[in-house]
mmCIF file of all heavy atoms in Angstrom:
data_model
loop_
_atom_site.group_PDB
_atom_site.id
_atom_site.type_symbol
_atom_site.label_atom_id
_atom_site.label_comp_id
_atom_site.label_asym_id
_atom_site.label_seq_id
_atom_site.Cartn_x
_atom_site.Cartn_y
_atom_site.Cartn_z
ATOM 1 N N ILE J 10 -18.744 3.265 -1.210
ATOM 2 C CA ILE J 10 -18.647 2.321 -0.131
ATOM 3 C C ILE J 10 -17.177 1.961 -0.084
ATOM 4 O O ILE J 10 -16.587 1.279 -0.970
ATOM 5 C CB ILE J 10 -19.541 1.071 -0.380
ATOM 6 C CG1 ILE J 10 -20.956 1.406 -0.566
ATOM 7 C CG2 ILE J 10 -19.226 0.059 0.804
ATOM 8 C CD1 ILE J 10 -21.835 0.290 -0.841
ATOM 9 N N GLY J 11 -16.453 2.429 0.903
ATOM 10 C CA GLY J 11 -14.982 2.172 1.116
ATOM 11 C C GLY J 11 -14.126 3.325 0.890
ATOM 12 O O GLY J 11 -14.100 3.871 -0.222
ATOM 13 N N ALA J 12 -13.480 3.721 2.027
ATOM 14 C CA ALA J 12 -12.700 4.993 1.862
ATOM 15 C C ALA J 12 -11.169 4.590 1.826
ATOM 16 O O ALA J 12 -10.315 4.910 2.594
ATOM 17 C CB ALA J 12 -12.994 5.895 3.068
ATOM 18 N N GLY J 13 -10.900 3.658 0.821
ATOM 19 C CA GLY J 13 -9.461 3.440 0.553
ATOM 20 C C GLY J 13 -8.975 4.174 -0.630
ATOM 21 O O GLY J 13 -9.596 5.245 -0.964
ATOM 22 N N SER J 14 -7.908 3.692 -1.277
ATOM 23 C CA SER J 14 -7.251 4.427 -2.386
ATOM 24 C C SER J 14 -8.193 4.903 -3.421
ATOM 25 O O SER J 14 -8.253 6.021 -3.890
ATOM 26 C CB SER J 14 -6.128 3.625 -3.025
ATOM 27 O OG SER J 14 -5.259 3.149 -1.985
ATOM 28 N N GLY J 15 -9.003 4.022 -3.963
ATOM 29 C CA GLY J 15 -9.905 4.213 -5.128
ATOM 30 C C GLY J 15 -11.167 5.031 -4.684
ATOM 31 O O GLY J 15 -11.550 5.906 -5.386
ATOM 32 N N GLY J 16 -11.693 4.649 -3.591
ATOM 33 C CA GLY J 16 -13.000 5.259 -3.138
ATOM 34 C C GLY J 16 -12.804 6.743 -2.734
ATOM 35 O O GLY J 16 -13.572 7.630 -3.204
ATOM 36 N N ALA J 33 -18.893 5.635 2.826
ATOM 37 C CA ALA J 33 -19.102 4.887 4.122
ATOM 38 C C ALA J 33 -17.731 4.140 4.303
ATOM 39 O O ALA J 33 -17.110 3.659 3.391
ATOM 40 C CB ALA J 33 -20.138 3.911 3.992
ATOM 41 N N GLU J 34 -17.320 4.087 5.576
ATOM 42 C CA GLU J 34 -16.125 3.317 5.943
ATOM 43 C C GLU J 34 -16.296 2.919 7.323
ATOM 44 O O GLU J 34 -16.607 3.701 8.285
ATOM 45 C CB GLU J 34 -14.807 4.233 5.795
ATOM 46 C CG GLU J 34 -13.557 3.657 6.269
ATOM 47 C CD GLU J 34 -13.123 2.357 5.501
ATOM 48 O OE1 GLU J 34 -13.018 2.378 4.319
ATOM 49 O OE2 GLU J 34 -13.140 1.237 6.245
ATOM 50 N N TYR J 35 -15.988 1.650 7.578
ATOM 51 C CA TYR J 35 -16.125 1.034 8.954
ATOM 52 C C TYR J 35 -14.764 0.927 9.624
ATOM 53 O O TYR J 35 -14.702 0.587 10.898
ATOM 54 C CB TYR J 35 -16.934 -0.214 8.931
ATOM 55 C CG TYR J 35 -16.132 -1.462 8.459
ATOM 56 C CD1 TYR J 35 -15.579 -2.404 9.448
ATOM 57 C CD2 TYR J 35 -15.970 -1.712 7.099
ATOM 58 C CE1 TYR J 35 -14.929 -3.461 8.920
ATOM 59 C CE2 TYR J 35 -15.284 -2.788 6.673
ATOM 60 C CZ TYR J 35 -14.742 -3.679 7.614
ATOM 61 O OH TYR J 35 -14.062 -4.731 7.216
ATOM 62 N N GLN J 36 -13.737 1.033 8.853
ATOM 63 C CA GLN J 36 -12.429 1.055 9.534
ATOM 64 C C GLN J 36 -11.675 2.425 9.437
ATOM 65 O O GLN J 36 -12.408 3.351 9.165
ATOM 66 C CB GLN J 36 -11.557 -0.139 8.893
ATOM 67 C CG GLN J 36 -12.155 -1.405 8.983
ATOM 68 C CD GLN J 36 -11.262 -2.533 8.554
ATOM 69 O OE1 GLN J 36 -10.573 -3.116 9.397
ATOM 70 N NE2 GLN J 36 -11.181 -2.852 7.228
ATOM 71 N N ALA J 37 -10.356 2.436 9.644
ATOM 72 C CA ALA J 37 -9.687 3.709 9.506
ATOM 73 C C ALA J 37 -9.702 4.288 8.073
ATOM 74 O O ALA J 37 -9.651 3.496 7.120
ATOM 75 C CB ALA J 37 -8.315 3.618 9.956
ATOM 76 N N GLY J 39 -8.548 5.738 4.615
ATOM 77 C CA GLY J 39 -7.254 5.467 3.773
ATOM 78 C C GLY J 39 -7.117 4.055 3.271
ATOM 79 O O GLY J 39 -6.332 3.886 2.302
ATOM 80 N N GLY J 40 -7.906 3.187 3.877
ATOM 81 C CA GLY J 40 -7.931 1.797 3.334
ATOM 82 C C GLY J 40 -6.712 1.058 3.561
ATOM 83 O O GLY J 40 -5.841 1.312 4.470
ATOM 84 N N THR J 41 -6.474 -0.024 2.739
ATOM 85 C CA THR J 41 -5.396 -0.957 2.919
ATOM 86 C C THR J 41 -4.027 -0.270 2.853
ATOM 87 O O THR J 41 -3.123 -0.415 3.718
ATOM 88 C CB THR J 41 -5.431 -2.102 1.826
ATOM 89 O OG1 THR J 41 -6.773 -2.743 1.942
ATOM 90 C CG2 THR J 41 -4.350 -3.125 1.978
ATOM 91 N N CYS J 42 -3.850 0.475 1.742
ATOM 92 C CA CYS J 42 -2.562 1.109 1.485
ATOM 93 C C CYS J 42 -2.017 1.923 2.693
ATOM 94 O O CYS J 42 -0.922 1.779 3.172
ATOM 95 C CB CYS J 42 -2.635 2.005 0.244
ATOM 96 S SG CYS J 42 -1.129 2.802 -0.199
ATOM 97 N N VAL J 45 -2.712 -0.762 6.387
ATOM 98 C CA VAL J 45 -2.045 -2.078 6.551
ATOM 99 C C VAL J 45 -1.369 -2.568 5.202
ATOM 100 O O VAL J 45 -1.471 -3.672 4.816
ATOM 101 C CB VAL J 45 -3.028 -3.245 6.974
ATOM 102 C CG1 VAL J 45 -3.346 -3.085 8.467
ATOM 103 C CG2 VAL J 45 -4.347 -3.170 6.197
ATOM 104 N N GLY J 46 -0.884 -1.606 4.396
ATOM 105 C CA GLY J 46 -0.362 -1.963 3.084
ATOM 106 C C GLY J 46 0.914 -1.139 2.802
ATOM 107 O O GLY J 46 1.894 -1.131 3.620
ATOM 108 N N CYS J 47 0.903 -0.488 1.702
ATOM 109 C CA CYS J 47 2.114 0.193 1.134
ATOM 110 C C CYS J 47 2.890 1.098 2.149
ATOM 111 O O CYS J 47 4.087 0.976 2.288
ATOM 112 C CB CYS J 47 1.678 1.181 -0.041
ATOM 113 S SG CYS J 47 0.196 0.870 -0.856
ATOM 114 N N LYS J 50 4.263 -0.664 5.341
ATOM 115 C CA LYS J 50 5.263 -1.643 4.801
ATOM 116 C C LYS J 50 6.580 -1.003 4.531
ATOM 117 O O LYS J 50 7.632 -1.389 4.849
ATOM 118 C CB LYS J 50 4.623 -2.347 3.568
ATOM 119 C CG LYS J 50 5.421 -3.344 2.947
ATOM 120 C CD LYS J 50 6.002 -3.213 1.619
ATOM 121 C CE LYS J 50 5.490 -2.288 0.650
ATOM 122 N NZ LYS J 50 4.811 -2.884 -0.640
ATOM 123 N N GLY J 112 -19.332 3.383 9.421
ATOM 124 C CA GLY J 112 -20.139 2.102 9.546
ATOM 125 C C GLY J 112 -20.079 1.240 8.232
ATOM 126 O O GLY J 112 -19.470 1.634 7.300
ATOM 127 N N ARG J 113 -20.382 -0.062 8.457
ATOM 128 C CA ARG J 113 -20.353 -0.997 7.388
ATOM 129 C C ARG J 113 -21.629 -0.825 6.457
ATOM 130 O O ARG J 113 -22.750 -0.780 6.967
ATOM 131 C CB ARG J 113 -20.372 -2.346 7.969
ATOM 132 C CG ARG J 113 -19.763 -3.433 7.088
ATOM 133 C CD ARG J 113 -19.740 -4.741 7.848
ATOM 134 N NE ARG J 113 -18.537 -5.321 8.160
ATOM 135 C CZ ARG J 113 -17.746 -5.899 7.288
ATOM 136 N NH1 ARG J 113 -18.051 -6.095 6.067
ATOM 137 N NH2 ARG J 113 -16.506 -6.386 7.724
ATOM 138 N N ALA J 114 -21.377 -0.682 5.258
ATOM 139 C CA ALA J 114 -22.565 -0.387 4.278
ATOM 140 C C ALA J 114 -22.952 -1.664 3.622
ATOM 141 O O ALA J 114 -22.116 -2.589 3.304
ATOM 142 C CB ALA J 114 -22.119 0.579 3.287
ATOM 143 N N ALA J 137 -16.128 0.240 -3.664
ATOM 144 C CA ALA J 137 -14.633 0.381 -3.573
ATOM 145 C C ALA J 137 -14.146 -0.219 -2.413
ATOM 146 O O ALA J 137 -13.454 0.347 -1.525
ATOM 147 C CB ALA J 137 -14.199 1.815 -3.811
ATOM 148 N N THR J 138 -14.510 -1.545 -2.112
ATOM 149 C CA THR J 138 -14.305 -2.126 -0.774
ATOM 150 C C THR J 138 -12.972 -2.899 -0.679
ATOM 151 O O THR J 138 -12.720 -3.527 0.402
ATOM 152 C CB THR J 138 -15.580 -3.065 -0.490
ATOM 153 O OG1 THR J 138 -15.626 -3.970 -1.623
ATOM 154 C CG2 THR J 138 -16.768 -2.315 -0.234
ATOM 155 N N GLY J 139 -12.245 -2.980 -1.733
ATOM 156 C CA GLY J 139 -10.942 -3.576 -1.656
ATOM 157 C C GLY J 139 -10.873 -5.067 -1.349
ATOM 158 O O GLY J 139 -11.861 -5.772 -1.701
ATOM 159 N N GLY J 140 -9.851 -5.575 -0.675
ATOM 160 C CA GLY J 140 -9.615 -6.955 -0.455
ATOM 161 C C GLY J 140 -9.166 -7.188 0.938
ATOM 162 O O GLY J 140 -8.750 -6.329 1.765
ATOM 163 N N SER J 156 -0.607 -10.322 7.052
ATOM 164 C CA SER J 156 0.066 -9.005 7.061
ATOM 165 C C SER J 156 -0.646 -7.984 7.946
ATOM 166 O O SER J 156 0.008 -7.190 8.593
ATOM 167 C CB SER J 156 0.234 -8.496 5.510
ATOM 168 O OG SER J 156 -0.971 -8.451 4.935
ATOM 169 N N PHE J 160 1.651 -5.948 11.217
ATOM 170 C CA PHE J 160 1.919 -4.488 11.403
ATOM 171 C C PHE J 160 1.669 -4.092 12.862
ATOM 172 O O PHE J 160 2.164 -2.967 13.211
ATOM 173 C CB PHE J 160 1.041 -3.609 10.614
ATOM 174 C CG PHE J 160 1.379 -3.671 9.047
ATOM 175 C CD1 PHE J 160 0.573 -4.298 8.158
ATOM 176 C CD2 PHE J 160 2.619 -3.217 8.614
ATOM 177 C CE1 PHE J 160 0.843 -4.270 6.721
ATOM 178 C CE2 PHE J 160 3.067 -3.272 7.336
ATOM 179 C CZ PHE J 160 2.140 -3.770 6.359
ATOM 180 N N TYR J 176 4.606 -10.844 -3.789
ATOM 181 C CA TYR J 176 5.511 -9.807 -3.381
ATOM 182 C C TYR J 176 5.411 -9.420 -1.880
ATOM 183 O O TYR J 176 6.313 -9.075 -1.244
ATOM 184 C CB TYR J 176 5.280 -8.565 -4.297
ATOM 185 C CG TYR J 176 4.090 -7.669 -3.910
ATOM 186 C CD1 TYR J 176 4.233 -6.638 -3.049
ATOM 187 C CD2 TYR J 176 2.842 -7.850 -4.523
ATOM 188 C CE1 TYR J 176 3.105 -5.810 -2.830
ATOM 189 C CE2 TYR J 176 1.750 -7.224 -4.208
ATOM 190 C CZ TYR J 176 1.894 -6.136 -3.383
ATOM 191 O OH TYR J 176 0.715 -5.367 -3.088
ATOM 192 N N ILE J 177 4.098 -9.752 -1.371
ATOM 193 C CA ILE J 177 3.982 -9.397 0.101
ATOM 194 C C ILE J 177 4.825 -10.296 0.984
ATOM 195 O O ILE J 177 5.457 -9.864 1.860
ATOM 196 C CB ILE J 177 2.467 -9.395 0.509
ATOM 197 C CG1 ILE J 177 1.726 -8.262 -0.272
ATOM 198 C CG2 ILE J 177 2.304 -9.289 1.970
ATOM 199 C CD1 ILE J 177 0.248 -8.224 0.012
ATOM 200 N N PHE J 181 7.970 -9.006 3.270
ATOM 201 C CA PHE J 181 8.055 -9.293 4.783
ATOM 202 C C PHE J 181 9.177 -10.182 5.143
ATOM 203 O O PHE J 181 9.789 -9.911 6.216
ATOM 204 C CB PHE J 181 6.642 -9.842 5.304
ATOM 205 C CG PHE J 181 5.751 -8.757 5.640
ATOM 206 C CD1 PHE J 181 4.766 -8.365 4.706
ATOM 207 C CD2 PHE J 181 5.845 -8.211 6.886
ATOM 208 C CE1 PHE J 181 3.808 -7.356 5.130
ATOM 209 C CE2 PHE J 181 4.895 -7.191 7.262
ATOM 210 C CZ PHE J 181 3.950 -6.757 6.384
ATOM 211 N N ARG J 261 -5.125 -12.627 -1.580
ATOM 212 C CA ARG J 261 -6.157 -11.810 -1.056
ATOM 213 C C ARG J 261 -7.528 -12.048 -1.737
ATOM 214 O O ARG J 261 -7.555 -12.407 -2.959
ATOM 215 C CB ARG J 261 -5.823 -10.260 -1.186
ATOM 216 C CG ARG J 261 -4.588 -9.956 -0.348
ATOM 217 C CD ARG J 261 -4.057 -8.592 -0.568
ATOM 218 N NE ARG J 261 -4.968 -7.564 -0.163
ATOM 219 C CZ ARG J 261 -5.223 -7.122 1.063
ATOM 220 N NH1 ARG J 261 -4.524 -7.562 2.045
ATOM 221 N NH2 ARG J 261 -6.061 -6.137 1.308
ATOM 222 N N ASN J 264 -13.510 -7.962 -0.877
ATOM 223 C CA ASN J 264 -14.529 -7.730 0.142
ATOM 224 C C ASN J 264 -15.862 -7.599 -0.377
ATOM 225 O O ASN J 264 -16.273 -6.419 -0.661
ATOM 226 C CB ASN J 264 -14.166 -6.400 1.020
ATOM 227 C CG ASN J 264 -12.877 -6.589 1.844
ATOM 228 O OD1 ASN J 264 -12.698 -7.688 2.368
ATOM 229 N ND2 ASN J 264 -12.182 -5.528 2.019
ATOM 230 N N LEU J 268 -22.366 -7.387 1.431
ATOM 231 C CA LEU J 268 -22.639 -6.122 0.715
ATOM 232 C C LEU J 268 -24.033 -6.130 0.077
ATOM 233 O O LEU J 268 -24.425 -5.044 -0.325
ATOM 234 C CB LEU J 268 -21.602 -6.024 -0.380
ATOM 235 C CG LEU J 268 -20.436 -5.166 -0.278
ATOM 236 C CD1 LEU J 268 -19.626 -5.035 -1.628
ATOM 237 C CD2 LEU J 268 -20.823 -3.747 0.134
ATOM 238 N N LEU J 299 -14.610 -0.376 -8.631
ATOM 239 C CA LEU J 299 -13.155 -0.315 -9.023
ATOM 240 C C LEU J 299 -12.179 -0.714 -7.907
ATOM 241 O O LEU J 299 -12.610 -0.979 -6.819
ATOM 242 C CB LEU J 299 -12.981 1.228 -9.449
ATOM 243 C CG LEU J 299 -13.249 2.331 -8.474
ATOM 244 C CD1 LEU J 299 -12.418 2.411 -7.308
ATOM 245 C CD2 LEU J 299 -13.096 3.634 -9.343
ATOM 246 N N GLY J 300 -10.886 -0.739 -8.185
ATOM 247 C CA GLY J 300 -9.827 -0.991 -7.300
ATOM 248 C C GLY J 300 -9.759 -2.492 -6.994
ATOM 249 O O GLY J 300 -10.058 -3.334 -7.950
ATOM 250 N N ASP J 301 -9.239 -2.938 -5.967
ATOM 251 C CA ASP J 301 -8.918 -4.334 -5.705
ATOM 252 C C ASP J 301 -10.189 -5.254 -5.855
ATOM 253 O O ASP J 301 -10.040 -6.449 -6.115
ATOM 254 C CB ASP J 301 -8.292 -4.588 -4.295
ATOM 255 C CG ASP J 301 -6.891 -4.118 -4.241
ATOM 256 O OD1 ASP J 301 -6.377 -3.557 -5.276
ATOM 257 O OD2 ASP J 301 -6.227 -4.405 -3.205
ATOM 258 N N GLU J 307 -3.900 -5.062 -8.809
ATOM 259 C CA GLU J 307 -4.068 -4.589 -7.337
ATOM 260 C C GLU J 307 -3.041 -3.744 -6.803
ATOM 261 O O GLU J 307 -2.106 -4.254 -6.066
ATOM 262 C CB GLU J 307 -4.437 -5.836 -6.482
ATOM 263 C CG GLU J 307 -5.691 -6.589 -7.035
ATOM 264 C CD GLU J 307 -6.082 -7.837 -6.310
ATOM 265 O OE1 GLU J 307 -5.426 -8.167 -5.237
ATOM 266 O OE2 GLU J 307 -6.940 -8.489 -6.828
ATOM 267 N N LEU J 308 -3.033 -2.510 -7.212
ATOM 268 C CA LEU J 308 -2.006 -1.554 -6.786
ATOM 269 C C LEU J 308 -2.743 -0.225 -6.538
ATOM 270 O O LEU J 308 -3.658 0.105 -7.237
ATOM 271 C CB LEU J 308 -0.951 -1.308 -7.817
ATOM 272 C CG LEU J 308 -0.065 -2.491 -8.113
ATOM 273 C CD1 LEU J 308 0.787 -2.208 -9.356
ATOM 274 C CD2 LEU J 308 0.839 -2.793 -6.945
ATOM 275 N N THR J 309 -2.227 0.549 -5.553
ATOM 276 C CA THR J 309 -2.835 1.848 -5.242
ATOM 277 C C THR J 309 -2.960 2.783 -6.443
ATOM 278 O O THR J 309 -4.009 3.344 -6.709
ATOM 279 C CB THR J 309 -2.067 2.480 -4.033
ATOM 280 O OG1 THR J 309 -2.661 1.908 -2.905
ATOM 281 C CG2 THR J 309 -2.232 3.931 -3.945
ATOM 282 N N PRO J 310 -1.854 2.987 -7.196
ATOM 283 C CA PRO J 310 -1.936 4.014 -8.370
ATOM 284 C C PRO J 310 -2.948 3.543 -9.362
ATOM 285 O O PRO J 310 -3.513 4.405 -10.042
ATOM 286 C CB PRO J 310 -0.535 4.037 -8.817
ATOM 287 C CG PRO J 310 0.366 3.575 -7.780
ATOM 288 C CD PRO J 310 -0.461 2.562 -6.986
ATOM 289 N N ALA J 312 -5.800 1.815 -8.618
ATOM 290 C CA ALA J 312 -7.162 2.144 -8.033
ATOM 291 C C ALA J 312 -7.366 3.679 -8.229
ATOM 292 O O ALA J 312 -8.415 4.076 -8.429
ATOM 293 C CB ALA J 312 -7.254 1.739 -6.555
ATOM 294 N N PHE J 341 9.443 -4.252 -2.892
ATOM 295 C CA PHE J 341 10.290 -3.701 -1.867
ATOM 296 C C PHE J 341 11.026 -4.796 -1.198
ATOM 297 O O PHE J 341 11.026 -4.871 0.076
ATOM 298 C CB PHE J 341 9.540 -2.743 -1.021
ATOM 299 C CG PHE J 341 9.109 -1.500 -1.804
ATOM 300 C CD1 PHE J 341 7.791 -1.403 -2.245
ATOM 301 C CD2 PHE J 341 9.999 -0.537 -2.174
ATOM 302 C CE1 PHE J 341 7.362 -0.389 -3.069
ATOM 303 C CE2 PHE J 341 9.650 0.554 -2.991
ATOM 304 C CZ PHE J 341 8.225 0.623 -3.374
HETATM 305 P P1 FAD O 1 -8.728 -0.516 -0.052
HETATM 306 O O1 FAD O 1 -7.650 0.433 -0.011
HETATM 307 O O2 FAD O 1 -8.467 -1.933 0.431
HETATM 308 O O3 FAD O 1 -10.053 0.224 0.524
HETATM 309 C C1 FAD O 1 -11.159 -0.477 0.772
HETATM 310 C C2 FAD O 1 -11.832 0.133 1.944
HETATM 311 O O4 FAD O 1 -13.303 -0.330 1.898
HETATM 312 C C3 FAD O 1 -11.255 -0.356 3.277
HETATM 313 O O5 FAD O 1 -10.871 0.756 4.087
HETATM 314 C C4 FAD O 1 -12.397 -1.146 3.921
HETATM 315 O O6 FAD O 1 -12.406 -1.085 5.378
HETATM 316 C C5 FAD O 1 -13.661 -0.592 3.292
HETATM 317 N N1 FAD O 1 -14.721 -1.529 3.310
HETATM 318 C C6 FAD O 1 -14.835 -2.725 2.921
HETATM 319 N N2 FAD O 1 -16.151 -3.145 2.989
HETATM 320 C C7 FAD O 1 -16.865 -2.176 3.374
HETATM 321 C C8 FAD O 1 -18.313 -1.931 3.742
HETATM 322 N N3 FAD O 1 -19.133 -2.924 3.508
HETATM 323 N N4 FAD O 1 -18.638 -0.760 4.207
HETATM 324 C C9 FAD O 1 -17.794 0.297 4.421
HETATM 325 N N5 FAD O 1 -16.477 0.133 4.128
HETATM 326 C C10 FAD O 1 -16.027 -0.955 3.613
HETATM 327 N N6 FAD O 1 0.083 -1.253 -3.565
HETATM 328 C C11 FAD O 1 1.021 -0.440 -4.216
HETATM 329 O O7 FAD O 1 0.698 0.266 -5.162
HETATM 330 N N7 FAD O 1 2.264 -0.383 -3.595
HETATM 331 C C12 FAD O 1 2.573 -1.111 -2.573
HETATM 332 O O8 FAD O 1 3.777 -1.075 -2.187
HETATM 333 C C13 FAD O 1 1.625 -1.925 -1.990
HETATM 334 N N8 FAD O 1 1.995 -2.613 -0.899
HETATM 335 C C14 FAD O 1 0.955 -3.422 -0.304
HETATM 336 C C15 FAD O 1 1.325 -4.144 0.843
HETATM 337 C C16 FAD O 1 0.386 -4.892 1.453
HETATM 338 C C17 FAD O 1 0.812 -5.643 2.735
HETATM 339 C C18 FAD O 1 -0.935 -4.966 0.959
HETATM 340 C C19 FAD O 1 -1.921 -5.804 1.702
HETATM 341 C C20 FAD O 1 -1.319 -4.252 -0.207
HETATM 342 C C21 FAD O 1 -0.358 -3.502 -0.829
HETATM 343 N N9 FAD O 1 -0.614 -2.777 -1.970
HETATM 344 C C22 FAD O 1 0.373 -1.915 -2.536
HETATM 345 C C23 FAD O 1 -1.933 -2.840 -2.593
HETATM 346 C C24 FAD O 1 -2.812 -1.603 -2.269
HETATM 347 O O9 FAD O 1 -2.857 -1.443 -0.913
HETATM 348 C C25 FAD O 1 -4.120 -1.859 -2.834
HETATM 349 O O10 FAD O 1 -4.065 -2.124 -4.244
HETATM 350 C C26 FAD O 1 -5.094 -0.653 -2.636
HETATM 351 O O11 FAD O 1 -5.231 -0.250 -1.322
HETATM 352 C C27 FAD O 1 -6.502 -0.906 -3.300
HETATM 353 O O12 FAD O 1 -7.332 0.184 -3.025
HETATM 354 P P2 FAD O 1 -8.922 0.026 -2.987
HETATM 355 O O13 FAD O 1 -9.458 1.318 -2.991
HETATM 356 O O14 FAD O 1 -9.245 -0.831 -4.045
HETATM 357 O O15 FAD O 1 -9.226 -0.789 -1.573
#
Side-chain angles (χ1 to χ4, degrees):
I10 305 177
S14 308
E34 175 59 63
Y35 77 100
Q36 301 191 92
T41 303
C42 181
V45 285
C47 338
K50 184 244 342 244
R113 206 179 244 280
T138 50
S156 53
F160 287 116
Y176 78 93
I177 295 175
F181 269 95
R261 294 174 61 83
N264 286 329
L268 254 187
L299 53 66
D301 283 8
E307 295 177 11
L308 292 171
T309 277
F341 294 98

